[in-house]
Amino acid sequence: METIILGGGCFWCTEAVFKEVKGVTDVESGYTGGAQPNPTYEQICTGTTGHAEVVKLTFDPTVVSYRELLEIFFTIHDPTTPNRQGNDVGTQYRSVIYYNSQEQKDIAKQVMCEMALVWDAPIVTELSPVEAYFKAEDYHQDYFENHPLQGYCAFVVAPKVAKFRQSFAERAKA
């Protein structure tokens, strides 16, 4: 098993999508990229901690590759908007890939170059080594699964999950 940590806006969205991917065995919402140890959601929302909302994925590379996960990542969020995804604005919503090895870094750079040809605006996704990671509060875990009719989930998360299912049908769990 391998891990990858990704930030692509609200972690409820990225968590909901990656829970649907064949080969992903665990998805956990959390925070990383800042200096404050054990931050709370309320602290993250101030934009002063330096942390991003992220998801930590555990995956089986014999079923889904690191590259494939990054291709999904670049499809389900807008990597051209700094510190923003839709109406979610702030440094905690930045696009970021945290890598665990030189190989992951090299693959991420390749995918970012390929994605630069797909998007009309420049890619602003940060590429950083894994830093201290902090699991988000329990009420953030499996949020979409537990609250599918909540307004944000219905109007923001659900369309991202639908886009994944349409764009990557062969990668979706049954």
Side-chain angles (χ1 to χ4, degrees):
M1 294 299 205
E2 293 184 28
T3 60
I4 181 175
I5 297 176
L6 302 169
C10 174
F11 48 30
W12 296 345
C13 296
T14 48
E15 179 194 66
V17 169
F18 284 107
K19 285 182 73 82
E20 301 247 335
V21 178
K22 285 181 194 171
V24 173
T25 59
D26 188 51
V27 183
E28 181 179 272
S29 291
Y31 314 113
T32 194
Q36 182 171 339
N38 299 307
T40 65
Y41 180 68
E42 289 73 22
Q43 291 167 329
I44 296 293
C45 288
T46 67
T48 62
T49 67
H51 288 291
E53 289 189 16
V54 296
V55 291
K56 182 168 85 172
L57 312 176
T58 303
F59 66 98
D60 181 344
T62 66
V63 179
V64 63
S65 71
Y66 178 78
R67 169 179 277 282
E68 289 168 319
L69 293 172
L70 291 178
E71 289 168 356
I72 293 167
F73 172 70
F74 280 108
T75 300
I76 62 162
H77 87 293
D78 183 348
T80 69
T81 54
N83 302 323
R84 174 183 204 130
Q85 286 298 305
N87 290 328
D88 294 328
V89 179
T91 58
Q92 69 270 30
Y93 299 117
R94 67 187 180 269
S95 177
V96 59
I97 300 167
Y98 290 96
Y99 58 86
N100 292 304
S101 66
Q102 185 63 44
E103 179 184 16
Q104 283 188 350
K105 180 181 180 181
D106 293 344
I107 293 169
K109 282 184 173 181
Q110 290 171 355
V111 173
M112 289 170 72
C113 287
E114 293 165 11
M115 290 296 127
L117 302 174
V118 174
W119 291 89
D120 293 333
I123 302 284
V124 297
T125 303
E126 296 174 16
L127 184 58
S128 299
V130 169
E131 301 181 23
Y133 166 84
F134 304 96
K135 181 180 176 183
E137 296 83 351
D138 287 343
Y139 68 90
H140 288 297
Q141 308 304 322
D142 306 314
Y143 196 85
F144 178 64
E145 185 179 317
N146 293 326
H147 307 281
L149 301 179
Q150 188 261 4
Y152 187 89
C153 291
F155 294 104
V156 178
V157 182
K160 288 187 182 217
V161 171
K163 182 176 184 177
F164 161 74
R165 289 177 182 158
Q166 181 180 12
S167 300
F168 296 94
E170 73 286 351
R171 290 275 160 232
K173 293 177 181 173

